[in-house]
């Protein structure tokens, strides 16, 4: 019996050691064992660039598991959350002292201590009396000395994007315009950050198309210089399928600041997101409204977004590797002091009786049966009585282009739970062949009955038509954390099974040994 106990303890120790050796990192993370904060970063420099900009650079922090990012503070107020180790702080007051601090945080929320503060003062406008140039050569020399000269320019195109990487002879900000003609009618990108090197990207382009562009540099004195005016052509490829939208978009209002969160779509081709906002209505495209963020994070802090407005409308667009863009997931942020009653995600007003007379009759022809839901192999229309959606997969919401007038403003699709709360909200955008308004709704973690609603807004932002249907979501997507935990449970269970199997074999061998020894003893007697 003593031998059996010793053997059991021995194999138990071996089994536990094997488990610990497999993936101790993941196990400790999932059960919340990580309590160690990252190391404290150090601000390396805070450099005044212009009268309104200071560039801050800090050292890299380390963490025992996974470093998530940094929080930067100006005068003890958080102004940025980033994964980078630098930040350009703009919109400052000239000749003013600012103090900066930074801390680091990991994936489970442990936060380092805050760095020692570093202070610096923005530049002051200095007007130096000079004599008026008398000759043409002197005037040209004076003018050229202040101009921005283009040093390098690289343009890399893909199916629907064009990446610009360029530098100048001095610090400058830029305006980039583009279009199919020299009117540059398609849009523009501008920055208020002064730097020697700049990188930007034009998105939502057409494959195999030649575009005209104009790049203008603006020095710290406001003087404009034409840096380049030329053409670029996007590449050709068959991939024109937009990626699913992000899911679980939410906005947390803290005073004048808005913290946005979202979950990435489960799409292998997913690349990044672009966040836009507008104080009038939800941005319909990545060029509509004010640029907030572009990259691979799942959250962003929009500083002072509610300083001048009571509400801000946000759209989060997702991109795939080919440059295709989703229709957009939306959320509304409202200053807390301005909330009265039930603040709805879609701020439309239901039409009162008689309002139909002032509306284009074409809107009123829209019916629930015009809205289709496609999740292969199933195809439903919104008026069907038994719509069943598999929550583990994305699905396509579609409205034929000819059903509503061309001059409409926005079409919004809501998924609402049984208590009337909006679970998900998306824009429907015109597809590439202009045959339908579409949105790819991602899988998200919800199971149960839902109401599906389509709102149509005209160019005056009136809610002119609403159609609805009901559905059942039968299998919600496991969150990434839940999925990893389930995988770990299965893995640990497998190891435990093998341990019991080995222990059983040892017991059988031990019993056989006892039996043989007993038989030998009886034979000798």
């Amino acid at each position: 019996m003593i031998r059996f106990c010793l053997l059991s303890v021995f194999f138990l120790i071996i089994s536990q050691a094997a488990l610990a050796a497999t993936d101790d990192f993941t196990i400790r993370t999932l059960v919340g064992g990580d309590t160690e904060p990252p190391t404290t970063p150090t601000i390396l420099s805070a450099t005044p660039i212009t009268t309104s900009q200071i560039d801050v650079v800090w050292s890299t922090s380390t963490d025992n598991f996974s470093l998530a990012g940094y929080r930067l503070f100006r005068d003890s107020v958080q102004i940025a959350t980033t994964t980078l180790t630098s930040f350009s702080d703009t919109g400052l007051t000239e000749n003013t002292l600012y103090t900066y601090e930074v801390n680091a945080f990991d994936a489970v929320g442990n936060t380092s201590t805050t760095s020692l503060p570093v202070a610096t003062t923005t530049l002051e406008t200095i007007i130096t009396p000079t004599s008026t140039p008398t000759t043409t050569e002197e005037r040209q020399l004076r003018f050229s000395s202040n101009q921005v000269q283009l040093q390098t320019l690289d343009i890399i195109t893909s199916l629907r994007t064009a990446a610009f990487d360029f530098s100048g002879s001095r610090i400058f900000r830029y305006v980039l315009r583009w279009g199919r003609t020299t009117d540059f009618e398609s849009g523009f990108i501008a920055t208020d950050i002064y730097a020697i090197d700049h990188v930007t990207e034009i998105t939502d382009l057409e494959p195999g198309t030649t575009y005209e562009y104009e790049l203008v540099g603006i020095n710290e004195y406001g003087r404009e210089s034409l840096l380049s005016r030329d053409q670029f052509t996007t590449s050709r490829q068959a991939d024109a399928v937009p990626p699913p939208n992000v899911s679980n978009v939410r906005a947390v209002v803290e005073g004048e600041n808005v913290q946005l969160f979202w979950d990435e779509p489960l799409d292998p081709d997913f690349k990044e997101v672009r966040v836009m906002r507008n104080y009038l209505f939800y941005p319909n495209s990545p060029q509509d409204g004010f640029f907030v963020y572009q990259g691979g994070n799942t959250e962003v802090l929009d500083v002072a977004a509610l300083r001048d407005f009571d509400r801000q409308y946000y759209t989060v667009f997702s991109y795939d590797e080919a440059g295709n863009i989703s229709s957009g997931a939306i959320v509304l942020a409202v200053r807390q002091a301005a909330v009265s009653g039930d603040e709805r995600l879609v701020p439309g007003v239901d039409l009162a009786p008689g309002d139909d007379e002032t509306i284009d009759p074409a809107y009123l022809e829209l019916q629930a049966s015009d809205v289709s839901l496609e999740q292969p192999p199933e195809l439903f229309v919104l008026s069907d009585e038994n719509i069943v959606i598999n929550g583990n997969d994305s699905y396509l919401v579609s409205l034929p282009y000819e059903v509503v007038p061309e001059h409409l403003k926005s079409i919004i699709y809501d998924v609402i739970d049984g208590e009337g709360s909006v679970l998900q909200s998306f824009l429907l955008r015109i597809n590439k062949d202009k045959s339908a308004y579409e949105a790819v709704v991602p899988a998200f973690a919800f199971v149960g009955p839902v109401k599906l609603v389509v709102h149509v807004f005209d160019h005056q932002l009136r809610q002119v038509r609403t159609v609805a249907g009901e559905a059942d979501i039968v299998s919600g997507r496991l969150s990434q954390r839940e999925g990893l935990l389930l995988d770990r449970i299965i893995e640990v269970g497998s190891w435990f099974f093998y341990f019991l199997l080995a222990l059983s074999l040892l017991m059988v061998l031990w019993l056989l040994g006892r039996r043989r020894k007993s038989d030998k003893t009886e034979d000798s007697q």
Side-chain angles (χ1 to χ4, degrees):
M1 185 66 183
I2 295 177
R3 289 177 59 191
F4 170 76
C5 292
L6 290 175
L7 285 171
S8 299
V9 171
F10 173 75
F11 278 99
L12 181 60
I13 293 173
I14 292 178
S15 173
Q16 293 297 324
L19 284 174
T22 56
D23 199 351
D24 185 56
F25 173 86
T26 304
I27 294 173
R28 291 178 60 189
T29 300
L30 289 173
V31 300
D34 180 14
T35 59
E36 182 177 336
T39 59
T40 303
T42 301
I43 293 183
L44 303 177
S45 64
T47 307
I49 302 300
T50 67
T51 58
S52 60
Q53 176 181 331
I54 294 175
D55 287 356
V56 185
V57 179
W58 56 88
S59 63
T60 302
S61 294
T62 58
D63 187 68
N64 58 330
F65 288 121
S66 176
L67 183 70
Y70 304 89
R71 299 184 181 94
L72 181 65
F73 300 82
R74 182 213 306 138
D75 297 336
S76 300
V77 176
Q78 183 177 341
I79 60 171
T81 300
T82 178
T83 57
L84 304 177
T85 56
S86 63
F87 184 79
S88 293
D89 190 14
T90 61
L92 305 176
T93 304
E94 87 172 78
N95 195 28
T96 301
L97 180 68
Y98 294 97
T99 301
Y100 295 92
E101 300 168 295
V102 66
N103 62 31
F105 61 95
D106 62 18
V108 296
N110 296 315
T111 303
S112 73
T113 55
T114 302
S115 68
L116 294 176
V118 173
T120 191
T121 302
T122 49
L123 301 180
E124 179 182 7
T125 302
I126 300 176
I127 302 177
T128 304
T130 58
S131 58
T132 303
T134 57
T135 67
T136 302
E137 291 77 9
E138 288 178 343
R139 287 194 295 270
Q140 290 177 344
L141 181 61
R142 179 72 55 81
F143 180 77
S144 63
S145 65
N146 289 327
Q147 275 189 313
V148 179
Q149 304 292 331
L150 184 66
Q151 299 295 310
T152 62
L153 172 61
D154 292 318
I155 304 175
I156 301 176
T157 59
S158 65
L159 285 173
R160 300 188 181 278
T161 65
F164 282 68
D165 187 343
F166 52 97
S167 63
S169 56
R170 57 188 299 138
I171 60 169
F172 69 104
R173 57 187 180 91
Y174 67 87
V175 178
L176 175 62
R177 304 179 181 92
W178 70 94
R180 299 193 182 189
T181 69
T182 53
D183 291 333
F184 311 115
E185 74 285 349
S186 295
F188 73 92
I189 299 174
T191 181
D192 58 357
I193 295 177
Y194 290 88
I196 294 290
D197 302 306
H198 291 278
V199 177
T200 190
E201 185 178 54
I202 301 174
T203 60
D204 207 21
L205 301 174
E206 294 293 333
T209 304
T210 298
Y211 289 87
E212 307 282 343
Y213 76 88
E214 178 183 76
L215 180 61
V216 175
I218 306 170
N219 68 11
E220 63 269 39
Y221 303 109
R223 175 165 292 169
E224 296 187 3
S225 305
L226 178 61
L227 302 182
S228 179
R229 182 182 286 145
D230 206 338
Q231 298 176 334
F232 64 85
T233 302
T234 53
S235 58
R236 298 178 181 273
Q237 186 138 0
D239 182 10
V241 179
N245 285 291
V246 300
S247 62
N248 198 23
V249 183
R250 53 211 184 274
V252 178
V253 177
E254 299 178 355
E256 297 178 345
N257 301 334
V258 179
Q259 186 89 33
L260 297 173
F261 303 88
W262 59 89
D263 294 334
E264 294 179 354
L266 297 179
D267 184 73
D269 204 26
F270 170 77
K271 179 183 178 183
E272 61 184 3
V273 302
R274 183 182 181 97
V275 182
M276 302 293 293
R277 69 167 156 84
N278 198 321
Y279 66 91
L280 295 174
F281 205 64
Y282 298 103
N284 274 294
S285 74
Q287 286 77 43
D288 180 18
F290 183 84
F291 172 83
V292 178
Y293 170 76
Q294 182 161 346
N297 288 347
T298 56
E299 65 176 273
V300 65
L301 177 66
D302 195 8
V303 178
L306 298 174
R307 179 173 55 195
D308 301 319
F309 303 98
D310 286 339
R311 64 188 63 203
Q312 292 284 4
Y313 301 88
Y314 290 90
T315 304
V316 182
F317 300 95
S318 58
Y319 290 83
D320 62 18
E321 293 292 344
N324 298 306
I325 182 173
S326 71
S327 63
I330 60 176
V331 68
L332 172 65
V334 182
R335 191 199 304 265
Q336 294 173 349
V339 176
S340 57
D342 294 331
E343 188 65 41
R344 289 192 52 79
L345 177 66
V346 181
V349 178
D350 292 334
L351 295 175
D355 284 350
D356 291 357
E357 299 178 359
T358 65
I359 298 172
D360 187 333
Y363 285 122
L364 304 178
E365 295 177 1
L366 172 64
Q367 303 297 324
S369 57
D370 294 320
V371 181
S372 64
L373 310 174
E374 183 178 358
Q375 189 179 52
E378 302 294 340
L379 177 64
F380 303 99
V381 295
L382 204 57
S383 57
D384 287 344
E385 294 184 357
N386 298 308
I387 301 176
V388 178
I389 298 173
N390 180 1
N392 288 324
D393 297 321
S394 60
Y395 63 94
L396 177 70
V397 181
S398 181
L399 177 66
Y401 179 80
E402 66 274 6
V403 170
V404 290
E406 291 190 0
H407 57 268
L408 63 85
K409 173 63 177 180
S410 295
I411 302 177
I412 293 176
Y413 173 76
D414 284 343
V415 181
I416 303 174
D417 66 14
E419 298 179 354
S421 299
V422 178
L423 299 173
Q424 305 273 269
S425 197
F426 306 95
L427 292 174
L428 269 65
R429 297 181 67 216
I430 300 174
N431 60 14
K432 298 303 178 182
D433 57 7
K434 213 173 183 180
S435 62
Y437 297 88
E438 296 178 339
V440 179
V441 179
F444 62 97
F446 180 84
V447 174
V450 292
K451 185 177 182 180
L452 310 177
V453 184
V454 173
H455 311 264
V456 179
F457 293 82
D458 67 6
H459 65 285
Q460 296 177 339
L461 303 185
R462 296 177 305 168
Q463 183 170 281
V464 296
R465 191 63 172 161
T466 299
V467 294
E470 295 182 349
D472 283 318
I473 299 179
V474 297
S475 180
R477 187 189 78 187
L478 284 176
S479 69
Q480 185 178 18
R481 189 178 184 87
E482 290 170 336
L484 289 173
L485 182 58
L486 181 60
D487 290 343
R488 177 53 61 197
I489 292 173
I490 294 173
E491 183 179 348
V492 172
S494 299
W495 277 100
F496 186 67
F497 170 77
Y498 288 128
F499 167 71
L500 291 179
L501 181 61
L503 189 61
S504 299
L505 291 173
L506 287 173
M507 289 182 64
V508 171
L509 293 174
W510 181 74
L511 289 174
L512 290 174
R514 288 284 305 270
R515 179 69 177 271
R516 290 176 180 175
K517 185 176 182 180
S518 176
D519 292 343
K520 289 181 180 179
T521 302
E522 291 177 358
D523 292 342
S524 62
Q525 292 176 351

